[in-house]
Amino acid sequence: MYIVPEKEIGGLMDRAASFEAVQSVFAAMASKDAYNFPVIREAIGHADALYGFKSGFDRKSLALGLKSGGYWPGNEAKGMTNHQSTVILFDADTGKVKALVGGNLLTALRTAAASAVSIKHLAPKNAKVLGMIGAGHQSTFQMRAAVEQRDFEKVIGWNYHPEMLSRLEDLANELDLPFEAVELDQLGAEADVIISITSAFAPSLLDAHVTGGTHIACMGTDTKGKQEVEAALVARATVFTDEIAQAISIGECQHAIADGTLTQSDIIEIGAVINGDHTGRSSDDELTLFDGTGVGLQDLAVASSVVDLAIKNGVAIEVDF
Ligand code: NAD
């Protein structure tokens, strides 16, 4: 088997390769060539951690395996990222373990790629203002990937902890974009694309905040009970997701489903848009929302790419196992 340590991932995987891997696997999911197994995610009652497994199989690429990991909110104070994950890949023909891959950077890259895929396929073509809600570890990956999809002229941002907004401002400046810290009503009115990436358990962005033909990528809600936007906003939008089963159980859709304002049949898999089976946005005035719950197949897709690159570049550690 091969080991690809976390420290090697940055030198191997980039945003373009992550985007391609994620876009392909979303398409394979919609055409039923790939499927995710049920997710296990538990509050373990220690260190405030959420821990679990995401897994699946892609019959097209033969990616088989799982990502083990979760979210340890106290890690940043210890100089570590709050997300800790590892991907294990198996040989689909024999079941033999194939590779052990560091999953921290890959998680950020594949999550940013997912919202970027949604922006590519669903955002208004002439989107100019990017609205960011959340200024944590994932937020900079999200912004970097998003700005590659449209000719944004400005970034506006809001965060529950305003002192963290300098992280967004610094990156916007690095990307040669002006940045403004705003309140949520201004963000909802001005932004053409909104990315929400927080660990919240109560909505920040309300239905009344959002006007016009906006695309919203809700990327933070990946666990039962979490919520970033008001359920009425989800109910009003044309809703797309990576996987419907996850959207209704652990994604942003769970709340509108629970209050009966959204039904499962209202939700469209983004892969159907990628495959050309759904038109996606139908007008500039439409409100579209992508519920990016984060599926195991995304992890397997990017990890498989990394293993190939690591072998090619001579940095994969081969172990007789
Ligand atoms: P982080 O801990 O670095 O940052 C957390 C962010 O949430 C900060 O901006 C913080 O100010 C904000 N926040 C905290 N409490 C809040 C509240 N009550 N209301 C509103 N905002 C609040 O976390 P991160 O690494 O940036 O990850 C953010 C979230 O994204 C996590 O919940 C994580 O589970 C989720 N995530 C989802 C996927 C996916 O595929 N969907 C992948 C990775 C991470």
Side-chain angles (χ1 to χ4, degrees):
M1 68 175 278
Y2 292 103
I3 297 175
V4 186
E6 183 67 44
K7 66 179 169 61
E8 301 292 353
I9 307 291
L12 295 167
M13 198 65 178
D14 59 16
R15 282 191 300 282
S18 305
F19 185 97
E20 287 310 318
V22 168
Q23 182 172 245
S24 300
V25 85
F26 284 167
M29 284 163 58
S31 60
K32 309 291 177 220
D33 287 311
Y35 68 109
N36 295 287
F37 307 155
V39 173
I40 294 172
R41 195 163 167 90
E42 301 284 332
I44 59 171
H46 178 77
D48 280 337
L50 294 171
Y51 175 74
F53 304 95
K54 288 187 169 180
S55 53
F57 179 46
D58 183 344
R59 265 185 233 105
K60 250 190 182 162
S61 69
L62 297 185
L64 173 70
L66 60 88
K67 178 170 85 170
S68 157
Y71 186 71
W72 276 258
N75 276 7
E76 215 158 271
K78 299 175 190 162
M80 285 182 272
T81 166
N82 289 350
H83 285 277
Q84 289 296 329
S85 43
T86 306
V87 180
I88 308 175
L89 297 173
F90 296 90
D91 184 322
D93 295 318
T94 63
K96 199 169 164 7
V97 68
K98 194 169 146 186
L100 189 66
V101 185
N104 292 352
L105 178 58
L106 285 182
T107 297
L109 287 170
R110 66 78 146 145
T111 306
S115 62
V117 166
S118 86
I119 293 167
K120 174 184 171 185
H121 292 280
L122 298 172
K125 287 280 171 282
N126 63 348
K128 297 290 179 215
V129 179
L130 174 64
M132 296 291 308
I133 298 175
H137 177 72
Q138 303 291 327
S139 63
T140 53
F141 293 91
Q142 292 284 325
M143 197 197 298
R144 281 185 196 280
V147 298
E148 290 171 348
Q149 298 307 318
R150 291 293 185 270
D151 291 327
F152 289 109
E153 293 174 351
K154 183 180 177 185
V155 180
I156 56 181
W158 178 90
N159 194 47
Y160 186 74
H161 302 101
E163 67 279 9
M164 293 168 74
L165 281 168
S166 57
R167 182 181 245 157
L168 299 181
E169 181 165 17
D170 290 349
L171 178 58
N173 292 342
E174 185 194 318
L175 297 168
D176 274 337
L177 289 165
F179 176 82
E180 191 185 347
V182 295
E183 293 303 323
L184 283 165
D185 53 351
Q186 190 182 340
L187 188 140
E190 276 189 25
D192 303 302
V193 172
I194 299 172
I195 297 174
S196 187
I197 182 83
T198 71
S199 52
F201 279 79
S204 302
L205 190 68
L206 305 181
D207 189 22
H209 290 149
V210 181
T211 57
T214 312
H215 174 64
I216 307 172
C218 295
M219 303 306 298
T221 297
D222 55 1
T223 305
K224 196 169 165 49
K226 278 182 167 178
Q227 185 171 15
E228 298 192 284
V229 308
E230 194 178 21
L233 182 59
V234 179
R236 179 161 67 89
T238 309
V239 179
F240 300 82
T241 188
D242 40 24
E243 193 194 72
I244 293 169
Q246 284 197 189
I248 63 171
S249 54
I250 59 169
E252 198 61 45
C253 289
Q254 61 181 292
H255 307 286
I257 290 282
D259 72 18
T261 52
L262 186 78
T263 60
Q264 190 168 327
S265 60
D266 294 327
I267 308 170
I268 304 141
E269 277 186 301
I270 184 100
V273 183
I274 298 165
N275 286 337
D277 294 330
H278 188 283
T279 48
R281 167 174 292 274
S282 57
S283 79
D284 283 349
D285 300 333
E286 189 174 6
L287 172 66
T288 54
L289 185 145
F290 175 65
D291 185 358
T293 66
V295 294
L297 283 167
Q298 278 170 267
D299 299 301
L300 305 188
V302 289
S304 298
S305 300
V306 154
V307 173
D308 292 345
L309 289 165
I311 293 168
K312 196 170 137 203
N313 291 328
V315 295
I317 300 164
E318 197 167 3
V319 177
D320 194 8
F321 181 80

